[in-house]
Every structure is written in C-alpha cells, then in structure tokens.
PDB file of all heavy atoms in Angstrom:
ATOM      1  N   ASN U   1      31.945  -8.900  12.052  1.00 70.00           N
ATOM      2  CA  ASN U   1      30.533  -9.361  12.273  1.00 70.00           C
ATOM      3  C   ASN U   1      29.733  -8.110  12.661  1.00 70.00           C
ATOM      4  O   ASN U   1      30.252  -6.988  12.778  1.00 70.00           O
ATOM      5  CB  ASN U   1      30.476 -10.460  13.298  1.00 70.00           C
ATOM      6  CG  ASN U   1      31.050 -10.066  14.652  1.00 70.00           C
ATOM      7  OD1 ASN U   1      31.021  -8.823  14.995  1.00 70.00           O
ATOM      8  ND2 ASN U   1      31.612 -11.006  15.330  1.00 70.00           N
ATOM      9  N   LEU U   2      28.509  -8.291  12.958  1.00 73.00           N
ATOM     10  CA  LEU U   2      27.595  -7.220  13.189  1.00 73.00           C
ATOM     11  C   LEU U   2      28.047  -6.377  14.432  1.00 73.00           C
ATOM     12  O   LEU U   2      28.105  -5.126  14.425  1.00 73.00           O
ATOM     13  CB  LEU U   2      26.180  -7.746  13.411  1.00 73.00           C
ATOM     14  CG  LEU U   2      25.114  -6.683  13.729  1.00 73.00           C
ATOM     15  CD1 LEU U   2      24.996  -5.625  12.572  1.00 73.00           C
ATOM     16  CD2 LEU U   2      23.753  -7.310  13.950  1.00 73.00           C
ATOM     17  N   LEU U   3      28.415  -7.159  15.509  1.00 71.00           N
ATOM     18  CA  LEU U   3      28.868  -6.389  16.720  1.00 71.00           C
ATOM     19  C   LEU U   3      30.094  -5.590  16.490  1.00 71.00           C
ATOM     20  O   LEU U   3      30.258  -4.508  17.053  1.00 71.00           O
ATOM     21  CB  LEU U   3      29.033  -7.418  17.857  1.00 71.00           C
ATOM     22  CG  LEU U   3      27.764  -8.071  18.382  1.00 71.00           C
ATOM     23  CD1 LEU U   3      28.093  -9.106  19.452  1.00 71.00           C
ATOM     24  CD2 LEU U   3      26.781  -7.023  18.956  1.00 71.00           C
ATOM     25  N   ALA U   4      31.038  -6.225  15.777  1.00 73.00           N
ATOM     26  CA  ALA U   4      32.352  -5.465  15.470  1.00 73.00           C
ATOM     27  C   ALA U   4      32.006  -4.239  14.625  1.00 73.00           C
ATOM     28  O   ALA U   4      32.643  -3.184  14.823  1.00 73.00           O
ATOM     29  CB  ALA U   4      33.252  -6.417  14.742  1.00 73.00           C
ATOM     30  N   LEU U   5      31.157  -4.349  13.624  1.00 78.00           N
ATOM     31  CA  LEU U   5      30.742  -3.221  12.831  1.00 78.00           C
ATOM     32  C   LEU U   5      30.079  -2.065  13.681  1.00 78.00           C
ATOM     33  O   LEU U   5      30.419  -0.873  13.521  1.00 78.00           O
ATOM     34  CB  LEU U   5      29.763  -3.608  11.724  1.00 78.00           C
ATOM     35  CG  LEU U   5      30.403  -4.367  10.509  1.00 78.00           C
ATOM     36  CD1 LEU U   5      29.314  -4.873   9.650  1.00 78.00           C
ATOM     37  CD2 LEU U   5      31.309  -3.365   9.785  1.00 78.00           C
ATOM     38  N   LEU U   6      29.309  -2.491  14.579  1.00 81.00           N
ATOM     39  CA  LEU U   6      28.602  -1.473  15.514  1.00 81.00           C
ATOM     40  C   LEU U   6      29.686  -0.843  16.329  1.00 81.00           C
ATOM     41  O   LEU U   6      29.638   0.424  16.561  1.00 81.00           O
ATOM     42  CB  LEU U   6      27.568  -2.173  16.334  1.00 81.00           C
ATOM     43  CG  LEU U   6      26.271  -2.632  15.676  1.00 81.00           C
ATOM     44  CD1 LEU U   6      25.422  -3.463  16.611  1.00 81.00           C
ATOM     45  CD2 LEU U   6      25.498  -1.398  15.139  1.00 81.00           C
ATOM     46  N   ALA U   7      30.617  -1.630  16.910  1.00 79.00           N
ATOM     47  CA  ALA U   7      31.724  -1.036  17.738  1.00 79.00           C
ATOM     48  C   ALA U   7      32.563  -0.080  16.904  1.00 79.00           C
ATOM     49  O   ALA U   7      32.982   0.977  17.409  1.00 79.00           O
ATOM     50  CB  ALA U   7      32.510  -2.182  18.363  1.00 79.00           C
ATOM     51  N   PHE U   8      32.835  -0.545  15.663  1.00 80.00           N
ATOM     52  CA  PHE U   8      33.708   0.269  14.781  1.00 80.00           C
ATOM     53  C   PHE U   8      33.009   1.614  14.500  1.00 80.00           C
ATOM     54  O   PHE U   8      33.598   2.727  14.555  1.00 80.00           O
ATOM     55  CB  PHE U   8      34.012  -0.524  13.554  1.00 80.00           C
ATOM     56  CG  PHE U   8      34.900   0.182  12.559  1.00 80.00           C
ATOM     57  CD1 PHE U   8      36.254   0.433  12.907  1.00 80.00           C
ATOM     58  CD2 PHE U   8      34.455   0.612  11.319  1.00 80.00           C
ATOM     59  CE1 PHE U   8      37.090   1.087  12.026  1.00 80.00           C
ATOM     60  CE2 PHE U   8      35.345   1.233  10.451  1.00 80.00           C
ATOM     61  CZ  PHE U   8      36.650   1.512  10.780  1.00 80.00           C
ATOM     62  N   GLY U   9      31.752   1.518  14.107  1.00 82.00           N
ATOM     63  CA  GLY U   9      30.974   2.728  13.894  1.00 82.00           C
ATOM     64  C   GLY U   9      30.935   3.717  15.160  1.00 82.00           C
ATOM     65  O   GLY U   9      30.961   4.871  15.035  1.00 82.00           O
ATOM     66  N   HIS U  10      30.736   3.030  16.295  1.00 83.00           N
ATOM     67  CA  HIS U  10      30.721   3.848  17.567  1.00 83.00           C
ATOM     68  C   HIS U  10      31.978   4.549  17.740  1.00 83.00           C
ATOM     69  O   HIS U  10      32.035   5.739  18.090  1.00 83.00           O
ATOM     70  CB  HIS U  10      30.463   2.855  18.748  1.00 83.00           C
ATOM     71  CG  HIS U  10      30.785   3.491  20.099  1.00 83.00           C
ATOM     72  ND1 HIS U  10      32.007   3.466  20.603  1.00 83.00           N
ATOM     73  CD2 HIS U  10      29.981   4.191  20.923  1.00 83.00           C
ATOM     74  CE1 HIS U  10      32.035   4.083  21.729  1.00 83.00           C
ATOM     75  NE2 HIS U  10      30.852   4.561  22.023  1.00 83.00           N
ATOM     76  N   ASP U  11      33.105   3.899  17.515  1.00 83.00           N
ATOM     77  CA  ASP U  11      34.476   4.537  17.738  1.00 83.00           C
ATOM     78  C   ASP U  11      34.667   5.638  16.736  1.00 83.00           C
ATOM     79  O   ASP U  11      35.273   6.653  17.098  1.00 83.00           O
ATOM     80  CB  ASP U  11      35.488   3.498  17.714  1.00 83.00           C
ATOM     81  CG  ASP U  11      35.521   2.570  18.861  1.00 83.00           C
ATOM     82  OD1 ASP U  11      34.828   2.904  19.869  1.00 83.00           O
ATOM     83  OD2 ASP U  11      36.151   1.504  18.846  1.00 83.00           O
ATOM     84  N   LEU U  12      34.303   5.490  15.498  1.00 84.00           N
ATOM     85  CA  LEU U  12      34.440   6.577  14.531  1.00 84.00           C
ATOM     86  C   LEU U  12      33.564   7.777  14.913  1.00 84.00           C
ATOM     87  O   LEU U  12      33.998   8.961  14.784  1.00 84.00           O
ATOM     88  CB  LEU U  12      34.055   6.095  13.105  1.00 84.00           C
ATOM     89  CG  LEU U  12      34.986   5.087  12.466  1.00 84.00           C
ATOM     90  CD1 LEU U  12      34.499   4.706  11.095  1.00 84.00           C
ATOM     91  CD2 LEU U  12      36.409   5.716  12.362  1.00 84.00           C
ATOM     92  N   ALA U  13      32.342   7.547  15.370  1.00 87.00           N
ATOM     93  CA  ALA U  13      31.555   8.581  15.853  1.00 87.00           C
ATOM     94  C   ALA U  13      32.168   9.296  17.078  1.00 87.00           C
ATOM     95  O   ALA U  13      32.119  10.520  17.223  1.00 87.00           O
ATOM     96  CB  ALA U  13      30.106   8.082  16.208  1.00 87.00           C
ATOM     97  N   ALA U  14      32.709   8.466  18.010  1.00 86.00           N
ATOM     98  CA  ALA U  14      33.399   9.087  19.140  1.00 86.00           C
ATOM     99  C   ALA U  14      34.595   9.898  18.787  1.00 86.00           C
ATOM    100  O   ALA U  14      34.889  10.952  19.311  1.00 86.00           O
ATOM    101  CB  ALA U  14      33.814   7.948  20.088  1.00 86.00           C
ATOM    102  N   ALA U  15      35.336   9.467  17.702  1.00 85.00           N
ATOM    103  CA  ALA U  15      36.457  10.185  17.245  1.00 85.00           C
ATOM    104  C   ALA U  15      36.071  11.578  16.640  1.00 85.00           C
ATOM    105  O   ALA U  15      36.678  12.625  16.903  1.00 85.00           O
ATOM    106  CB  ALA U  15      37.228   9.402  16.171  1.00 85.00           C
ATOM    107  N   SER U  16      34.975  11.604  15.837  1.00 87.00           N
ATOM    108  CA  SER U  16      34.518  12.865  15.242  1.00 87.00           C
ATOM    109  C   SER U  16      34.028  13.784  16.381  1.00 87.00           C
ATOM    110  O   SER U  16      34.286  14.944  16.343  1.00 87.00           O
ATOM    111  CB  SER U  16      33.412  12.551  14.298  1.00 87.00           C
ATOM    112  OG  SER U  16      32.280  11.948  14.857  1.00 87.00           O
ATOM    113  N   LEU U  17      33.286  13.202  17.351  1.00 88.00           N
ATOM    114  CA  LEU U  17      32.770  14.023  18.453  1.00 88.00           C
ATOM    115  C   LEU U  17      33.946  14.572  19.262  1.00 88.00           C
ATOM    116  O   LEU U  17      33.882  15.769  19.649  1.00 88.00           O
ATOM    117  CB  LEU U  17      31.841  13.171  19.271  1.00 88.00           C
ATOM    118  CG  LEU U  17      31.177  13.907  20.549  1.00 88.00           C
ATOM    119  CD1 LEU U  17      30.386  15.152  20.030  1.00 88.00           C
ATOM    120  CD2 LEU U  17      30.315  12.952  21.318  1.00 88.00           C
ATOM    121  N   ALA U  18      34.933  13.788  19.537  1.00 87.00           N
ATOM    122  CA  ALA U  18      36.038  14.204  20.325  1.00 87.00           C
ATOM    123  C   ALA U  18      36.822  15.278  19.653  1.00 87.00           C
ATOM    124  O   ALA U  18      37.271  16.291  20.234  1.00 87.00           O
ATOM    125  CB  ALA U  18      36.992  13.093  20.700  1.00 87.00           C
ATOM    126  N   TRP U  19      36.938  15.223  18.303  1.00 85.00           N
ATOM    127  CA  TRP U  19      37.717  16.240  17.541  1.00 85.00           C
ATOM    128  C   TRP U  19      36.996  17.568  17.581  1.00 85.00           C
ATOM    129  O   TRP U  19      37.560  18.584  17.809  1.00 85.00           O
ATOM    130  CB  TRP U  19      37.852  15.715  16.083  1.00 85.00           C
ATOM    131  CG  TRP U  19      38.724  16.624  15.246  1.00 85.00           C
ATOM    132  CD1 TRP U  19      38.318  17.614  14.405  1.00 85.00           C
ATOM    133  CD2 TRP U  19      40.136  16.565  15.176  1.00 85.00           C
ATOM    134  NE1 TRP U  19      39.375  18.234  13.838  1.00 85.00           N
ATOM    135  CE2 TRP U  19      40.617  17.652  14.238  1.00 85.00           C
ATOM    136  CE3 TRP U  19      41.145  15.800  15.774  1.00 85.00           C
ATOM    137  CZ2 TRP U  19      41.871  17.871  14.043  1.00 85.00           C
ATOM    138  CZ3 TRP U  19      42.485  16.059  15.460  1.00 85.00           C
ATOM    139  CH2 TRP U  19      42.812  17.081  14.614  1.00 85.00           C
ATOM    140  N   TYR U  20      35.620  17.525  17.424  1.00 84.00           N
ATOM    141  CA  TYR U  20      34.900  18.753  17.472  1.00 84.00           C
ATOM    142  C   TYR U  20      34.872  19.369  18.856  1.00 84.00           C
ATOM    143  O   TYR U  20      35.036  20.616  19.031  1.00 84.00           O
ATOM    144  CB  TYR U  20      33.427  18.471  17.037  1.00 84.00           C
ATOM    145  CG  TYR U  20      32.629  19.775  16.892  1.00 84.00           C
ATOM    146  CD1 TYR U  20      32.637  20.567  15.749  1.00 84.00           C
ATOM    147  CD2 TYR U  20      31.840  20.240  17.985  1.00 84.00           C
ATOM    148  CE1 TYR U  20      31.824  21.696  15.620  1.00 84.00           C
ATOM    149  CE2 TYR U  20      31.082  21.350  17.923  1.00 84.00           C
ATOM    150  CZ  TYR U  20      31.133  22.077  16.685  1.00 84.00           C
ATOM    151  OH  TYR U  20      30.387  23.257  16.595  1.00 84.00           O
ATOM    152  N   MET U  21      34.727  18.478  19.926  1.00 87.00           N
ATOM    153  CA  MET U  21      34.690  19.006  21.260  1.00 87.00           C
ATOM    154  C   MET U  21      36.085  19.664  21.621  1.00 87.00           C
ATOM    155  O   MET U  21      36.098  20.619  22.413  1.00 87.00           O
ATOM    156  CB  MET U  21      34.363  17.850  22.220  1.00 87.00           C
ATOM    157  CG  MET U  21      32.895  17.470  22.175  1.00 87.00           C
ATOM    158  SD  MET U  21      32.598  16.054  23.276  1.00 87.00           S
ATOM    159  CE  MET U  21      32.866  16.860  24.875  1.00 87.00           C
ATOM    160  N   ALA U  22      37.155  19.077  21.168  1.00 87.00           N
ATOM    161  CA  ALA U  22      38.423  19.645  21.399  1.00 87.00           C
ATOM    162  C   ALA U  22      38.548  21.104  20.909  1.00 87.00           C
ATOM    163  O   ALA U  22      39.058  22.013  21.610  1.00 87.00           O
ATOM    164  CB  ALA U  22      39.600  18.749  20.757  1.00 87.00           C
ATOM    165  N   PHE U  23      38.080  21.300  19.683  1.00 84.00           N
ATOM    166  CA  PHE U  23      38.093  22.710  19.133  1.00 84.00           C
ATOM    167  C   PHE U  23      37.086  23.538  19.967  1.00 84.00           C
ATOM    168  O   PHE U  23      37.411  24.717  20.289  1.00 84.00           O
ATOM    169  CB  PHE U  23      37.603  22.647  17.622  1.00 84.00           C
ATOM    170  CG  PHE U  23      38.695  22.429  16.668  1.00 84.00           C
ATOM    171  CD1 PHE U  23      39.098  21.085  16.446  1.00 84.00           C
ATOM    172  CD2 PHE U  23      39.270  23.485  16.006  1.00 84.00           C
ATOM    173  CE1 PHE U  23      40.138  20.867  15.484  1.00 84.00           C
ATOM    174  CE2 PHE U  23      40.291  23.265  15.058  1.00 84.00           C
ATOM    175  CZ  PHE U  23      40.675  21.931  14.815  1.00 84.00           C
ATOM    176  N   TRP U  24      36.001  23.003  20.269  1.00 84.00           N
ATOM    177  CA  TRP U  24      34.932  23.816  20.989  1.00 84.00           C
ATOM    178  C   TRP U  24      35.439  24.248  22.329  1.00 84.00           C
ATOM    179  O   TRP U  24      35.210  25.394  22.757  1.00 84.00           O
ATOM    180  CB  TRP U  24      33.760  22.867  21.131  1.00 84.00           C
ATOM    181  CG  TRP U  24      32.479  23.521  21.562  1.00 84.00           C
ATOM    182  CD1 TRP U  24      31.914  24.693  21.089  1.00 84.00           C
ATOM    183  CD2 TRP U  24      31.572  23.079  22.598  1.00 84.00           C
ATOM    184  NE1 TRP U  24      30.691  24.972  21.712  1.00 84.00           N
ATOM    185  CE2 TRP U  24      30.518  23.980  22.611  1.00 84.00           C
ATOM    186  CE3 TRP U  24      31.502  21.961  23.455  1.00 84.00           C
ATOM    187  CZ2 TRP U  24      29.458  23.805  23.539  1.00 84.00           C
ATOM    188  CZ3 TRP U  24      30.499  21.813  24.304  1.00 84.00           C
ATOM    189  CH2 TRP U  24      29.462  22.724  24.385  1.00 84.00           C
ATOM    190  N   LEU U  25      36.137  23.253  23.072  1.00 85.00           N
ATOM    191  CA  LEU U  25      36.692  23.672  24.374  1.00 85.00           C
ATOM    192  C   LEU U  25      37.853  24.634  24.320  1.00 85.00           C
ATOM    193  O   LEU U  25      38.018  25.454  25.126  1.00 85.00           O
ATOM    194  CB  LEU U  25      37.114  22.370  25.175  1.00 85.00           C
ATOM    195  CG  LEU U  25      35.906  21.429  25.546  1.00 85.00           C
ATOM    196  CD1 LEU U  25      36.552  20.131  26.119  1.00 85.00           C
ATOM    197  CD2 LEU U  25      35.067  22.119  26.602  1.00 85.00           C
ATOM    198  N   ARG U  26      38.651  24.469  23.227  1.00 84.00           N
ATOM    199  CA  ARG U  26      39.801  25.342  23.094  1.00 84.00           C
ATOM    200  C   ARG U  26      39.426  26.780  22.929  1.00 84.00           C
ATOM    201  O   ARG U  26      40.022  27.688  23.444  1.00 84.00           O
ATOM    202  CB  ARG U  26      40.592  24.830  21.821  1.00 84.00           C
ATOM    203  CG  ARG U  26      41.603  25.878  21.250  1.00 84.00           C
ATOM    204  CD  ARG U  26      42.745  26.051  22.229  1.00 84.00           C
ATOM    205  NE  ARG U  26      43.701  27.053  21.670  1.00 84.00           N
ATOM    206  CZ  ARG U  26      43.560  28.365  21.662  1.00 84.00           C
ATOM    207  NH1 ARG U  26      42.455  28.935  22.196  1.00 84.00           N
ATOM    208  NH2 ARG U  26      44.489  29.159  21.155  1.00 84.00           N
ATOM    209  N   PHE U  27      38.239  27.053  22.298  1.00 82.00           N
ATOM    210  CA  PHE U  27      37.806  28.359  22.054  1.00 82.00           C
ATOM    211  C   PHE U  27      36.650  28.775  22.928  1.00 82.00           C
ATOM    212  O   PHE U  27      35.756  29.588  22.579  1.00 82.00           O
ATOM    213  CB  PHE U  27      37.438  28.573  20.592  1.00 82.00           C
ATOM    214  CG  PHE U  27      38.680  28.531  19.669  1.00 82.00           C
ATOM    215  CD1 PHE U  27      38.877  27.379  18.927  1.00 82.00           C
ATOM    216  CD2 PHE U  27      39.541  29.567  19.596  1.00 82.00           C
ATOM    217  CE1 PHE U  27      40.019  27.306  18.112  1.00 82.00           C
ATOM    218  CE2 PHE U  27      40.693  29.489  18.745  1.00 82.00           C
ATOM    219  CZ  PHE U  27      40.913  28.326  17.993  1.00 82.00           C
ATOM    220  N   ASN U  28      36.568  28.145  24.149  1.00 80.00           N
ATOM    221  CA  ASN U  28      35.619  28.564  25.176  1.00 80.00           C
ATOM    222  C   ASN U  28      34.167  28.404  24.597  1.00 80.00           C
ATOM    223  O   ASN U  28      33.330  29.370  24.717  1.00 80.00           O
ATOM    224  CB  ASN U  28      35.827  29.968  25.706  1.00 80.00           C
ATOM    225  CG  ASN U  28      37.188  30.054  26.367  1.00 80.00           C
ATOM    226  OD1 ASN U  28      37.564  29.154  27.078  1.00 80.00           O
ATOM    227  ND2 ASN U  28      37.929  31.161  26.136  1.00 80.00           N
ATOM    228  N   LEU U  29      33.872  27.387  23.948  1.00 77.00           N
ATOM    229  CA  LEU U  29      32.544  26.961  23.548  1.00 77.00           C
ATOM    230  C   LEU U  29      31.976  27.774  22.368  1.00 77.00           C
ATOM    231  O   LEU U  29      30.785  27.777  22.054  1.00 77.00           O
ATOM    232  CB  LEU U  29      31.509  26.995  24.722  1.00 77.00           C
ATOM    233  CG  LEU U  29      31.988  26.346  26.000  1.00 77.00           C
ATOM    234  CD1 LEU U  29      30.835  26.389  27.046  1.00 77.00           C
ATOM    235  CD2 LEU U  29      32.418  24.921  25.790  1.00 77.00           C
ATOM    236  N   GLU U  30      32.889  28.533  21.667  1.00 79.00           N
ATOM    237  CA  GLU U  30      32.457  29.303  20.547  1.00 79.00           C
ATOM    238  C   GLU U  30      33.553  29.401  19.533  1.00 79.00           C
ATOM    239  O   GLU U  30      34.625  29.987  19.734  1.00 79.00           O
ATOM    240  CB  GLU U  30      32.034  30.767  20.985  1.00 79.00           C
ATOM    241  CG  GLU U  30      31.445  31.582  19.838  1.00 79.00           C
ATOM    242  CD  GLU U  30      31.001  32.931  20.357  1.00 79.00           C
ATOM    243  OE1 GLU U  30      30.930  33.155  21.530  1.00 79.00           O
ATOM    244  OE2 GLU U  30      30.663  33.802  19.490  1.00 79.00           O
ATOM    245  N   LEU U  31      33.338  28.728  18.332  1.00 75.00           N
ATOM    246  CA  LEU U  31      34.332  28.692  17.269  1.00 75.00           C
ATOM    247  C   LEU U  31      34.433  29.977  16.442  1.00 75.00           C
ATOM    248  O   LEU U  31      33.394  30.329  15.868  1.00 75.00           O
ATOM    249  CB  LEU U  31      34.145  27.465  16.354  1.00 75.00           C
ATOM    250  CG  LEU U  31      34.310  26.081  17.012  1.00 75.00           C
ATOM    251  CD1 LEU U  31      33.972  25.036  15.970  1.00 75.00           C
ATOM    252  CD2 LEU U  31      35.753  25.888  17.501  1.00 75.00           C
ATOM    253  N   PRO U  32      35.579  30.565  16.284  1.00 77.00           N
ATOM    254  CA  PRO U  32      35.710  31.733  15.371  1.00 77.00           C
ATOM    255  C   PRO U  32      35.693  31.248  13.964  1.00 77.00           C
ATOM    256  O   PRO U  32      36.000  30.074  13.599  1.00 77.00           O
ATOM    257  CB  PRO U  32      37.045  32.385  15.771  1.00 77.00           C
ATOM    258  CG  PRO U  32      37.762  31.257  16.424  1.00 77.00           C
ATOM    259  CD  PRO U  32      36.773  30.334  17.045  1.00 77.00           C
ATOM    260  N   PRO U  33      35.405  32.151  12.963  1.00 80.00           N
ATOM    261  CA  PRO U  33      35.186  31.753  11.556  1.00 80.00           C
ATOM    262  C   PRO U  33      36.337  30.961  11.018  1.00 80.00           C
ATOM    263  O   PRO U  33      36.095  29.949  10.317  1.00 80.00           O
ATOM    264  CB  PRO U  33      35.002  33.122  10.920  1.00 80.00           C
ATOM    265  CG  PRO U  33      34.373  34.000  11.956  1.00 80.00           C
ATOM    266  CD  PRO U  33      34.987  33.550  13.219  1.00 80.00           C
TER     267      PRO U  33
END
C-alpha cells in the first residue's frame, strides 16, 4: 500500500546513504579516485 511503498523507498535510500557514508568514513571524509 502507499505507506509500505514509502517505507520501502525510505529504506532503500537509507541503504544507499549508509553505503556511501561507510566509504566516506573509511577514507577520512575524502574518497580517492
């Protein structure tokens, strides 16, 4: 339903953000090429 779709979209966005932040923190806030 609409709420489930919103929650699903939220979690996918959280997954992408967490993946990027993990790289970002691993390299001290600056990603090498």
Side-chain angles (χ1 to χ4, degrees):
N1 57 30
L2 178 60
L3 292 177
L5 283 171
L6 288 174
F8 184 64
H10 164 274
D11 290 345
L12 289 180
S16 62
L17 180 60
W19 188 264
Y20 186 85
M21 288 178 65
F23 275 80
W24 192 49
L25 292 173
R26 165 64 180 81
F27 293 103
N28 298 320
L29 314 184
E30 186 176 348
L31 290 178

